[in-house]
Amino acid sequence: MPPPADIVKVAIEWPGANAQLIEMDQKRPLSSIIREVCDGWSLSGSEQFALRYADGPQLYITEQSRGEIKNGTILRLAISPARAARQLLERIQSHGIDARLEALKELAKLSADPTFATEFINMEGIGTLARLVESGTHFGEMLAFTLTAFLELMDHGIVSWDLISLSFIKQIAGYVNQPMVDVSILQRSLAILESMVLNSHSLYHRVAQEITVGQLIGHLSNQEIQTYAIALINALFLKAPEDRRQEMASTLAQKHLRSIILNHVIRGNRPIKAEMAHQLYVLQVLTFNLLEERMMTKMDPNDQAQRDIIFELRRIAFDGENDPTGTEKRKAMYTKDYKMLGFTNHVNPAMDFTQTPPGMLALDNMLYLAKVHQDTYIRIVLENSSREDKHECPFGRCAIELTRMLCEILQVGELPNEGCNDYHPMFFTHDRAWEEFFCVCIQLLNKTWKEMRATAEDFNKVMQVVREQITRALAMKPSSLDQLKNKLRGLNYSEILRLRQSERMSQDDFQSPPIIELRERIQPEILELIKQQRLNRLCEGSCFRKLGNRRRQEKFWFCRLSLNHKVLHYGDLDESPQGEVPFELLSDKIPVSDIKSVVTGKDCPHMKEKSALKQNKEVLELAFSVLYDPDETLNFVAPNKYEYCIWTDGLCALLGREMGSDLTRSDLDTLISMEMKLRLLDLENITIPEAPPPVPKEPSSYNFTYNYS
């Protein structure tokens, strides 16, 4: 007979004594269990003791967290959080340097525990640490452990960052500004300043007064602190008022931030880790977001300065050198010229720029092309304006729609997504990367237009093809604009048609009755293969990144399915693994029989808890949770769509429920098509026996919806 669900068998250790093997009744108060354990070792004052995990982070066990204890867990009897906090506080304030160092070292470790952190903070422990930093008497290891403990305690969100004093900020900023500071101290100082900026509007202004961009850029040559420095630059950039962002961007350009990142980070001798990739992505997004103001600014048809830009576009294309006499003679021909330039409104082309987006940003792009790449601009305009076969490509209309498209593709004006690492190295290779990107794409559009022999009626079709060309090329991550041009040359209209046809063949197949019937016959067989593949991948396991970590130090956890498909093993890791993680290193586990259901997206508990800024579309699309008895959850955010499909589909198969057909459509169609091609070689001679009637399926409670793109 199986043991009751509320009974958990554990081992409890105490230094210098034999471990106690007990059956912990989860219905009994924790204090009663601790008293019984203390009696077993003849320890008095059980209220001064608590239970902690013996392995991993060694967190304290509370009434709220005790439900996570599993059979076979090793626990340790330890002094209570309140007692530990009091003792450490006394030792930190002692006069012995060695005793103080050991106390700070232990505090840095215990501060990650929320239960201990609450007790220590309630004893004014953060104020004590702040005063130690402000005194300026701590150096080396002692200071590093002090800053680590301070950051860990503040990271719990128990107290507000607004309570930090100006003298503390000055002291931390001083460590960043000093030329020779220990790397560990510098890392923690940068992380503390970043948290201040992100968590407090008032502290942003104080930090901005103490730290200059030039000082932060100077740290980018040190590979140990590059990520921390860029993270602080991003935080200052993100929280800066609107009127300060353009000024800050100009300062960053003057300090050659882009070229320093390109040479010391992107082209450095170290592989770019996930956190650095995320910070580069954030910097890329924030830089492009500077275009939002122009993108949302309508042109004023009565503003002469703005109208002069359109006159300049006409002059460069048709007049060559500015000749006042010639200009007067051509005024009557302006309408014709604007039509040749491809504007929709020939009489007053300023009206073409009144829609936002792209607003004035489109005109800025056109002027950049005309002035910086004048030969290309004139060639495109004159090449199309001289055609009389209705196949001319309207430059003005194309430039406006292309600008709008590029803003959508690069998500101009949207906040960075937490956990996203989608940066493009080529945007760090040029000071005017946006404008140069536009120039490459407008030439692509003109070329594609000619390849499609398009007319005005085909405008939207051409733009769809161009969007596909650009997105496919960006997905290849070209390292420079020249590489982008090479990728786009390989993605001409003929290649796009071939790719579409190939994908259509693998997804839609022929719709003739024999093929449809054959597909229905072989689909269960293929689907079973996919299920087995998913389960095999779950047995190999995957690494997941912990989100919500403001400190720039990587935290990971790993999860894998046992070979007999009966237990999910998981546990924390110090760094991302290079291969398979052995079961012995994964301290926690969940019996598959305890799993009640799986939820995805906004239904996940960890998504409901996130703020509006974090709860972005990409993270939602990668989130899923395992709900298991009694009322516990294991929360995931997959690193990419592929891993999301593997795990959600695999869990479906594991629970004996139907896999989401939309989610596996790509795999399923590919395999079915391969099988069908073999069987259809002699299609005329195939006789398909009548299929047996379908077996009724039991209703399933597993009802989350997939949307696989």
Side-chain angles (χ1 to χ4, degrees), residues 50-63:
L51 293 176
R52 291 170 60 185
Y53 288 100
D55 301 318
Q58 300 181 12
L59 300 177
Y60 278 101
I61 295 169
T62 64
E63 290 288 356

Side-chain angles (χ1 to χ4, degrees), residues 342 393-403 442 445 449 459 463:
C393 177
F395 169 74
R397 183 184 176 190
C398 288
I400 293 170
E401 290 302 316
L402 178 64
T403 302
I442 193 67
L445 195 159
W449 185 284
F459 184 85
M463 297 306 296

Side-chain angles (χ1 to χ4, degrees), residues 541-684:
S542 299
C543 179
F544 300 91
R545 177 175 174 266
K546 289 191 173 182
L547 294 183
N549 179 30
R550 289 297 183 189
R551 297 159 293 154
R552 301 273 76 87
Q553 55 193 69
E554 292 283 8
K555 288 193 175 181
F556 302 94
W557 68 288
F558 196 89
C559 187
R560 64 180 297 194
L561 179 66
S562 63
L563 300 180
N564 61 6
H565 297 178
K566 291 186 177 181
V567 180
L568 276 178
H569 296 263
Y570 65 97
D572 293 336
L573 300 176
D574 293 331
E575 57 184 18
S576 180
Q578 299 302 314
E580 192 174 278
V581 177
F583 289 108
E584 308 85 66
L585 297 181
L586 305 176
S587 56
D588 301 304
K589 58 185 178 181
I590 300 173
V592 172
S593 59
D594 288 350
I595 297 178
K596 295 187 291 186
S597 63
V598 176
V599 294
T600 64
K602 62 183 179 181
D603 295 327
C604 296
H606 58 312
M607 291 295 104
K608 293 178 181 178
E609 296 170 358
K610 281 184 171 291
S611 64
L613 175 60
K614 294 180 181 178
Q615 195 169 349
N616 54 70
K617 181 179 178 182
E618 289 195 18
V619 174
L620 279 174
E621 289 179 349
L622 298 176
F624 61 98
S625 297
V626 172
L627 309 184
Y628 61 97
D629 288 330
D631 291 306
E632 304 297 330
T633 63
L634 185 62
N635 299 316
F636 300 76
V637 175
N640 50 54
K641 194 70 177 180
Y642 174 75
E643 290 292 332
Y644 174 87
C645 296
I646 290 291
W647 276 86
T648 51
D649 249 4
L651 290 169
C652 286
L654 188 63
L655 299 177
R657 293 158 180 165
E658 281 195 40
M659 299 168 66
S661 59
D662 288 341
L663 187 61
T664 57
R665 178 66 62 192
S666 177
D667 291 329
L668 184 62
D669 286 343
T670 299
L671 291 171
I672 289 177
S673 296
M674 291 172 62
E675 181 74 8
M676 288 176 70
K677 287 173 184 176
L678 295 175
R679 298 192 186 189
L680 295 177
L681 290 176
D682 193 18
L683 181 60
E684 294 180 355

Side-chain angles (χ1 to χ4, degrees), residues 366-507:
M366 295 165 70
L367 184 62
Y368 181 87
L369 174 68
K371 287 193 169 184
V372 179
H373 301 280
Q374 192 171 117
D375 292 342
T376 300
Y377 167 70
I378 294 174
R379 176 179 56 80
I380 292 175
V381 173
L382 297 184
E383 182 181 86
N384 288 284
S385 63
S386 61
R387 302 183 68 169
E388 298 180 356
D389 55 2
K390 296 185 180 181
H391 289 284
E392 64 274 5
C393 177
F395 169 74
R397 183 184 176 190
C398 288
I400 293 170
E401 290 302 316
L402 178 64
T403 302
R404 188 201 321 275
M405 180 196 298
L406 297 183
C407 290
E408 292 174 357
I409 291 173
L410 297 177
Q411 300 178 331
V412 175
E414 296 187 17
L415 288 172
N417 292 323
E418 184 175 338
C420 182
N421 304 333
D422 189 24
Y423 81 98
H424 296 280
M426 69 176 184
F427 290 130
F428 292 88
T429 62
H430 200 285
D431 289 328
R432 304 294 295 272
W434 166 264
E435 291 86 349
E436 289 294 323
F437 183 46
F438 168 83
C439 293
V440 171
C441 293
I442 193 67
Q443 294 178 73
L444 168 72
L445 195 159
N446 186 61
K447 174 173 171 286
T448 301
W449 185 284
K450 290 188 291 185
E451 291 173 349
M452 295 178 65
R453 292 195 55 78
T455 62
E457 290 76 14
D458 302 316
F459 184 85
N460 290 333
K461 294 180 182 178
V462 175
M463 297 306 296
Q464 289 173 3
V465 173
V466 171
R467 175 186 284 270
E468 188 171 345
Q469 290 172 313
I470 294 171
T471 53
R472 286 182 184 272
L474 287 177
M476 300 177 192
K477 298 291 183 182
S479 60
S480 67
L481 289 165
D482 287 336
Q483 276 198 18
L484 174 67
K485 294 176 185 177
N486 292 333
K487 302 292 185 188
L488 291 173
R489 274 194 287 269
L491 289 169
N492 54 34
Y493 180 53
S494 298
E495 178 64 10
I496 293 296
L497 288 179
R498 188 193 68 78
L499 291 171
R500 285 180 174 180
Q501 180 68 16
S502 174
E503 292 167 359
R504 189 178 299 115
M505 287 291 292
S506 66
Q507 292 178 4

Side-chain angles (χ1 to χ4, degrees), residues 89 120-121 123-134 150:
L89 200 56
F120 190 81
I121 290 172
M123 296 176 185
E124 303 297 329
I126 285 184
T128 301
L129 295 180
R131 287 189 291 273
L132 290 176
V133 174
E134 292 170 9
F150 179 87

